[in-house]
Structures are given as structure tokens and as C-alpha cells.
Amino acid sequence: MAYTIGKLAKAAGVTLETIRYYQRKGLIEEPVKPLQGYRHYSEQTVQRLHFIKRAQQLGFTLKEINELLFLDSGHCDDVRQLAEQKLQQIEAQINSLTALHGALQDMVSGCGRAKADNRCSVIDALSQNGEK
Amino acid sequence: MAYTIGKLAKAAGVTLETIRYYQRKGLIEEPVKPLQGYRHYSEQTVQRLHFIKRAQQLGFTLKEINELLFLDSGHCDDVRQLAEQKLQQIEAQINSLTALHGALQDMVSGCGRAKADNRCSVIDALSQNGEK
DNA sequence: GTAAACTCTGGTCTATAGAACAGAGTCAAG
DNA sequence: CTTGACTCTGTTCTATAGACCAGAGTTTAC
């Protein structure tokens, strides 16, 4: 079954612009335009868009997704390596966010207490030595 | 003690461009340029740059930092509210990253096993139903 | 067969956080 | 007093992931 770009967009849950952008970036190939009429997209392309969206939800950038698509089948090791790398990035990200969360929470919890000098402990904590 | 922009940059550990960018964005004020010569920056500005950098490390965007600076002293409640909002964002972010981590890990751990059809389980998992 | 809906091309625009550059002016050291 | 280092202004550029728009062509529905 063939899709025009609008149908494709609807089927994949993206906008026309997204599709065109992906074409420009080489994430999906642009079908040749028939001399007369509009381009046709295949079911395959719907699947590929789903693939891209899922990978994106998993935190892959388009660039990384492009690599995945390029490696694709047959190079399982490479794909796994990419995934493992991403896994480490995510761990690091979680760690720093957790630290950040703790720091911010400390600040906020210091904030409620009445202070003689009428200053904000959050601001103070950020300033650390004397900003304003 | 007065700084020229280069000294200021060095003292604060940022580049000239960053300082000028912050000036454009109103995060630090641009000292009036003397008719003759270069601009002078105060120690205060060094502190403010440190403030900005710390806040940035804590995950605030420049826009949010600008709000913080604007609210600044006297409006502790507002500042705290902003911080609490950020706190929630961070929690949400950690949660989704954790979910992501689990999903990716499942994929990767399925990957080592030899597969009859020679396909990559990471790709398969992302494809979900039939991409390639 | 005409109007509405869709697609095409190509260009500009958004946000974020700066980086880089050109050409002119200024300051500091020898 | 000249050379090298620094600063100034203004503009353009980077990356990421698209959004939007105009004007022309095409298709579909009534």
C-alpha cells in the first residue's frame, strides 16, 4: 500500500516537516518523484519512522539513529557497542541528576526557615561567597 | 580591583564570547564604555559569573537563572518555588532515564545470544514489528 | 469542471548557548 | 615609538530538531 507524504505523516504520527527533515538528513530515503504527481512512500517507511521515534524516545539522537540504521543488520556487535555506550551515558546522566537533586533539595529545605538577615538561602547557596 | 574583559573571563573561567553573550541576554550588565579605553568590570561581576555557572551546573537554563537574578533577594518564596519546580522536573527526568536504562539494558542483554536468523536483538527491539 | 485539499520547492525562522571572524581602535612593554 | 597583545563593534556561524511560509502545481470530491 502506498502513502502520500500526508498519509505517511499521519500513519507515523509525525509532521510533514519532520519527514522532509529526515529525508534531508538521510534517515529515510526520498522516493523519486514521478514526472506526473506526488511521491509514494511504502509501508517500510512507516516502520522506519516508528523505529526512529522509538529510538528517539530511548534517548538516541538522530545522528546516533543514523548510525544504527547504517550498521543495521549483520553488525550486531557494533550495534550493541553503540547501545552500551549509550547505557553508560545514561548512567552518568542519572548520577549527576541525582546529585543535583540532592543539592537543590538541601537548598530548598533551608529556605523555609526565618532568617535574621532576610536573605534567601537558595540564592545564598548558589552564590556561595558573596554574590549580592 | 578592576578587570578588563579578558581578565574577567580568565577570573571566571569563561570566554569573552560568553561574557558578551550574557551581556546581550541581560544576565550581567555591560559597564559603560569610557570615551577613551576599555570597559571595567568589578569583582561583583566575577561573583555573578560564578553564580551563573553554579546555577547552570545545577541544571538551570540561562532563562531560569535570569529569573533567579531578577527575583533575587526579598522574594524568597518565588525563588523557592522556582527551585521546587526545577526539582520536580529533575525527578521526572530521572524517572524517564531510569526507565530508558532498563529498556536499553534488556535489549543489550538479549544481544549476546546467538540467533538463528542472524539478526540483532537491539535493532529488533527498536523495530518492534518488522522494520527490515 | 471547479473548488478544496493536498503536495512541491526552496527559503526563512525558532530556541539554546555560545564560537568565530573582520577590521578598527587602544594599551603596554621594550 | 613601534610591535604585539588586547578590546571594540557588528555580523555571521555552529549544532539540534524541526516549524512555517509562499506560490506554484496536482489530485480528489462534489
Side-chain angles (χ1 to χ4, degrees), chain A residues 12-23:
Chain A
V14 298
T15 69
L16 302 194
E17 281 76 28
T18 300
I19 291 169
R20 297 208 172 106
Y21 179 69
Y22 288 176
Q23 286 174 167

Side-chain angles (χ1 to χ4, degrees), chain A residues 47 54 58 100 126-127 129, chain B residues 47 54 58 126-127 129:
Chain A
Q47 298 307 323
R54 276 190 293 272
L58 290 179
L100 161 55
L126 286 170
S127 302
N129 56 38
Chain B
Q47 297 307 324
R54 275 190 294 271
L58 290 178
L126 286 170
S127 301
N129 56 38

